[in-house]
Amino acid sequence: MIEKYIQIRTKVPIDSDGTVFKEFNANEKFRRQDISTMLKLLPLIAKYELDFLPKIVDYNEKGYRYEFVDGKTLKEEIDNGILKLTQKMILEMKIAMDDIWKRFYEISIENKDDELFSGNRFLYHGDPWLGNAIWNDDTKELKFIDIDSLSIAEFVPLTQLNNMFFQHLETLLMTQNKDTVTLGTWL
C-alpha cells in the first residue's frame, strides 16, 4: 500500500478515510497563534460548510481534522506546465475571489456580536498565494486549502492580499509567452 501524504513543512499523512489531521504545533504559524482562538474559529467555519475551504471534520486542543481536497494547487499546475494561464481565466478567478471575500464579510457581519469579532473585526484568508489555492476551470471554483491562514482582525490588508494572488498570476501570464507585448501594463 502506497502511503498518501501532503507536504507542508513536513509530510502529513492522508488517512484511509480521506481526512488529514493537522497538529496546531506542526509549524511556526501555530506556535505563534493562539490555539484558544482557533478552537473558537474552527466550529464557526465548520458551521458554515464553506465550499471554498476544506470541510472540517473534527478538532481538539491538539489540532484539527479536515477532508483532503483532491487536486493540484495553482502553483503545481503552473510549475508543471499543466495549466496555461489566460486573461479570461484570471478574470474568472477574480470573480471567484470576490465571492469568497463577500462570504467572509457576510460571516463577519452575522457574527459581529461574537467575542471573536468584537463588533468590528473581519474574517479573511491571510495567505492567498498560488500554493494554497486549487482552481477548477470547469466549474470556475477557487478553493483555499490552508485553513491555518484564516484570521480575524480589525485591519484587513486587502491590497497586499489581493496583490499576493493576482499580481503573481498577471506576471506569470505576461511571462509565459516571451513574445507577449506588455503595453498598457506596468510590467
mmCIF file of all heavy atoms in Angstrom, residues 16 27-28 47 74 90 114 118 126-127 148 150 152 164 179:
data_model
loop_
_atom_site.group_PDB
_atom_site.id
_atom_site.type_symbol
_atom_site.label_atom_id
_atom_site.label_comp_id
_atom_site.label_asym_id
_atom_site.label_seq_id
_atom_site.Cartn_x
_atom_site.Cartn_y
_atom_site.Cartn_z
ATOM 1 N N SER A 16 -6.795 6.745 5.683
ATOM 2 C CA SER A 16 -7.555 5.883 4.778
ATOM 3 C C SER A 16 -8.987 6.374 4.559
ATOM 4 O O SER A 16 -9.602 6.067 3.543
ATOM 5 C CB SER A 16 -7.567 4.439 5.291
ATOM 6 O OG SER A 16 -8.164 4.395 6.575
ATOM 7 N N ASN A 27 3.818 23.561 12.825
ATOM 8 C CA ASN A 27 4.664 24.539 12.133
ATOM 9 C C ASN A 27 4.699 25.852 12.918
ATOM 10 O O ASN A 27 4.003 26.027 13.897
ATOM 11 C CB ASN A 27 4.189 24.752 10.689
ATOM 12 C CG ASN A 27 2.801 25.343 10.623
ATOM 13 O OD1 ASN A 27 2.488 26.301 11.315
ATOM 14 N ND2 ASN A 27 1.951 24.770 9.786
ATOM 15 N N GLU A 28 5.525 26.745 12.458
ATOM 16 C CA GLU A 28 5.728 28.028 13.145
ATOM 17 C C GLU A 28 4.453 28.833 13.303
ATOM 18 O O GLU A 28 4.263 29.514 14.289
ATOM 19 C CB GLU A 28 6.748 28.881 12.384
ATOM 20 C CG GLU A 28 8.175 28.543 12.683
ATOM 21 C CD GLU A 28 8.530 28.702 14.151
ATOM 22 O OE1 GLU A 28 8.206 29.740 14.752
ATOM 23 O OE2 GLU A 28 9.126 27.776 14.706
ATOM 24 N N LYS A 47 -19.464 25.254 10.872
ATOM 25 C CA LYS A 47 -20.913 25.504 10.838
ATOM 26 C C LYS A 47 -21.366 25.983 9.464
ATOM 27 O O LYS A 47 -22.432 25.618 8.988
ATOM 28 C CB LYS A 47 -21.267 26.531 11.909
ATOM 29 C CG LYS A 47 -22.724 26.977 11.911
ATOM 30 C CD LYS A 47 -22.989 27.995 12.992
ATOM 31 C CE LYS A 47 -22.865 29.380 12.429
ATOM 32 N NZ LYS A 47 -23.287 30.418 13.361
ATOM 33 N N LEU A 74 -2.620 25.708 -7.795
ATOM 34 C CA LEU A 74 -2.279 26.514 -8.968
ATOM 35 C C LEU A 74 -0.770 26.528 -9.202
ATOM 36 O O LEU A 74 -0.308 26.419 -10.331
ATOM 37 C CB LEU A 74 -2.791 27.946 -8.787
ATOM 38 C CG LEU A 74 -4.259 28.149 -9.116
ATOM 39 C CD1 LEU A 74 -4.733 29.479 -8.576
ATOM 40 C CD2 LEU A 74 -4.487 28.049 -10.604
ATOM 41 N N ILE A 90 -7.911 34.375 -15.411
ATOM 42 C CA ILE A 90 -7.581 35.254 -14.278
ATOM 43 C C ILE A 90 -8.801 36.078 -13.872
ATOM 44 O O ILE A 90 -9.076 36.249 -12.689
ATOM 45 C CB ILE A 90 -6.357 36.139 -14.599
ATOM 46 C CG1 ILE A 90 -5.101 35.269 -14.715
ATOM 47 C CG2 ILE A 90 -6.170 37.217 -13.532
ATOM 48 C CD1 ILE A 90 -3.866 36.006 -15.188
ATOM 49 N N ASP A 114 -20.275 38.189 18.396
ATOM 50 C CA ASP A 114 -19.444 37.108 18.934
ATOM 51 C C ASP A 114 -18.123 37.708 19.419
ATOM 52 O O ASP A 114 -17.584 38.625 18.808
ATOM 53 C CB ASP A 114 -19.184 36.078 17.829
ATOM 54 C CG ASP A 114 -18.443 34.855 18.316
ATOM 55 O OD1 ASP A 114 -17.266 34.995 18.723
ATOM 56 O OD2 ASP A 114 -19.020 33.751 18.264
ATOM 57 N N SER A 118 -15.622 40.947 18.081
ATOM 58 C CA SER A 118 -15.643 42.173 18.896
ATOM 59 C C SER A 118 -16.331 43.331 18.193
ATOM 60 O O SER A 118 -15.910 44.475 18.319
ATOM 61 C CB SER A 118 -14.213 42.573 19.279
ATOM 62 O OG SER A 118 -13.573 41.548 19.989
ATOM 63 N N GLY A 126 -5.465 34.932 5.204
ATOM 64 C CA GLY A 126 -4.270 35.766 5.241
ATOM 65 C C GLY A 126 -3.100 35.300 4.396
ATOM 66 O O GLY A 126 -2.041 35.921 4.432
ATOM 67 N N ASP A 127 -3.262 34.227 3.616
ATOM 68 C CA ASP A 127 -2.145 33.739 2.812
ATOM 69 C C ASP A 127 -2.635 33.197 1.463
ATOM 70 O O ASP A 127 -2.463 32.024 1.146
ATOM 71 C CB ASP A 127 -1.385 32.653 3.583
ATOM 72 C CG ASP A 127 -0.033 32.327 2.963
ATOM 73 O OD1 ASP A 127 0.448 33.104 2.106
ATOM 74 O OD2 ASP A 127 0.539 31.288 3.326
ATOM 75 N N ASP A 148 -5.203 27.073 8.215
ATOM 76 C CA ASP A 148 -4.354 27.741 9.202
ATOM 77 C C ASP A 148 -4.256 29.249 8.975
ATOM 78 O O ASP A 148 -3.969 30.000 9.896
ATOM 79 C CB ASP A 148 -2.911 27.225 9.144
ATOM 80 C CG ASP A 148 -2.801 25.729 9.232
ATOM 81 O OD1 ASP A 148 -3.834 25.047 9.323
ATOM 82 O OD2 ASP A 148 -1.675 25.235 9.200
ATOM 83 N N LEU A 150 -6.593 31.335 8.126
ATOM 84 C CA LEU A 150 -7.771 32.142 8.426
ATOM 85 C C LEU A 150 -7.466 33.042 9.615
ATOM 86 O O LEU A 150 -6.860 32.612 10.585
ATOM 87 C CB LEU A 150 -8.969 31.250 8.734
ATOM 88 C CG LEU A 150 -9.483 30.417 7.574
ATOM 89 C CD1 LEU A 150 -10.621 29.523 8.032
ATOM 90 C CD2 LEU A 150 -9.922 31.292 6.414
ATOM 91 N N ILE A 152 -8.893 36.758 11.915
ATOM 92 C CA ILE A 152 -9.920 37.749 12.224
ATOM 93 C C ILE A 152 -9.191 38.961 12.773
ATOM 94 O O ILE A 152 -8.406 38.840 13.713
ATOM 95 C CB ILE A 152 -10.931 37.212 13.259
ATOM 96 C CG1 ILE A 152 -11.653 35.984 12.706
ATOM 97 C CG2 ILE A 152 -11.935 38.298 13.632
ATOM 98 C CD1 ILE A 152 -12.580 35.319 13.701
ATOM 99 N N MET A 164 -0.874 39.601 -3.598
ATOM 100 C CA MET A 164 -0.177 38.322 -3.433
ATOM 101 C C MET A 164 -0.651 37.311 -4.468
ATOM 102 O O MET A 164 0.125 36.531 -4.991
ATOM 103 C CB MET A 164 -0.437 37.726 -2.038
ATOM 104 C CG MET A 164 0.312 38.358 -0.914
ATOM 105 S SD MET A 164 -0.212 37.675 0.684
ATOM 106 C CE MET A 164 0.408 36.008 0.593
ATOM 107 N N ASP A 179 7.029 36.478 -26.286
ATOM 108 C CA ASP A 179 6.780 37.499 -27.296
ATOM 109 C C ASP A 179 5.532 38.343 -27.001
ATOM 110 O O ASP A 179 5.108 39.133 -27.817
ATOM 111 C CB ASP A 179 6.641 36.843 -28.672
ATOM 112 C CG ASP A 179 5.505 35.829 -28.735
ATOM 113 O OD1 ASP A 179 5.008 35.422 -27.667
ATOM 114 O OD2 ASP A 179 5.120 35.450 -29.851
#
